[in-house]
């Protein structure tokens, strides 16, 4: 049984075995939570991402997939990078968003991570409406078959925190 928690704050200040990054398929950085993680985590994370691109992901990491690197100077052992879908009004990409949470937890299980911190994947630059992002995130983690003992959703602002809280 996985305990689910919600906190409001900056995920780069969170302590967890694994911190999930809302990355993009290049794995080479961006804005939002990705930029914050790469800044505070120091150069080791980007260096590990570059190596992953060269060794395994020449075309980039696909949407809905997840891969781990060192967490550099963050208070965690690993960063799990996942690529959320860009929100679309024409196409239902909910399965891809759910896959981000499932795949991140699968990678966490492989690593032996017991505690995992997630941001609201896709709910920033990628435009996913917060209430729907929260619904998919919480339902997917609840339904996941995982050995992870504790999942903490780290929500950047009050509106996001409240949207996730409504899922309880
Ligand atoms: N801690 C916790 N949550 C944060 C933080 C933080 N430090 N900073 C932002 N958020 P976004 P996406 C929230 O845009 O929508 C990047 O350029 C933010 O308020 O980070 O998946 C990547 O490289 C929002 O609620 O991720 C991709 O190109 C949530 O995190 C693209 O953005 C996700 O917002 C991914 O876009």
């Amino acid at each position: 049984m996985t305990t689910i928690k919600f906190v409001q704050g900056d995920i780069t200040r969170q302590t967890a075995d694994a911190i999930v990054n809302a990355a993009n398929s290049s794995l080479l950085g961006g804005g939002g939570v990705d930029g914050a993680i790469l800044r505070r985590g120091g150069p080791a994370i980007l260096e590990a991402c570059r190596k992953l691109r060269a060794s395994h992901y020449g075309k980039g990491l696909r949407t809905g997939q997840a891969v781990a690197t060192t967490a550099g100077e963050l208070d965690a052992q690993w960063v799990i990078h996942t690529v959320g879908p860009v929100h679309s009004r024409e196409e239902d990409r909910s399965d891809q968003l759910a896959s981000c949470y499932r795949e991140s937890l699968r990678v966490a299980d492989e690593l032996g991570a017991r505690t995992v911190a997630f941001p609201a994947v896709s709910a920033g630059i990628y435009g996913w409406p917060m209430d729907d992002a929260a619904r998919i995130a919480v339902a997917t983690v609840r339904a996941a078959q995982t050995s992870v003992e504790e999942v903490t959703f780290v929500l950047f602002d009050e509106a996001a925190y409240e949207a996730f809280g409504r899922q309880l």
Side-chain angles (χ1 to χ4, degrees):
M1 187 69 186
T2 307
T3 303
I4 300 180
K5 291 184 173 172
F6 306 103
V7 303
Q8 190 182 334
D10 179 345
I11 202 166
T12 69
R13 306 274 186 186
Q14 191 71 23
T15 302
D17 291 342
I19 290 175
V20 177
N21 180 21
N24 61 63
S25 66
S26 82
L27 292 175
L28 300 178
V33 75
D34 192 7
I37 283 174
L38 293 180
R39 261 194 313 279
R40 194 174 294 276
I45 302 176
L46 186 55
E47 194 181 315
C49 285
R50 286 211 175 97
K51 285 189 179 149
L52 272 175
R53 276 299 302 274
S55 61
H56 288 85
Y57 300 99
K59 292 181 179 165
L61 183 66
R62 291 209 317 273
T63 304
Q65 301 293 300
V67 69
T69 65
T70 174
E73 291 159 33
L74 298 179
D75 195 5
Q77 289 198 58
W78 303 282
V79 168
I80 298 174
H81 307 265
T82 191
V83 183
V86 176
H87 185 260
S88 164
R89 287 179 192 282
E90 285 76 43
E91 188 188 3
D92 182 5
R93 298 177 179 163
S94 305
D95 284 349
Q96 290 180 321
L97 184 53
S99 173
C100 290
Y101 291 95
R102 274 196 301 269
E103 286 297 303
S104 295
L105 290 173
R106 189 184 59 72
V107 170
D109 282 336
E110 279 177 13
L111 295 166
R114 296 297 170 92
T115 58
V116 177
F118 280 99
V121 178
S122 287
I125 292 164
Y126 282 177
W128 209 288
M130 187 57 78
D131 278 308
D132 201 45
R135 180 185 63 76
I136 292 166
V138 175
T140 305
V141 170
R142 266 199 186 126
Q145 300 288 319
T146 175
S147 304
V148 171
E149 290 165 6
E150 187 179 281
V151 164
T152 304
F153 289 102
V154 183
L155 294 324
F156 207 38
D157 57 28
E158 200 172 336
Y161 178 73
E162 284 174 0
F164 274 72
R166 281 194 288 275
Q167 301 306 313
L168 278 185

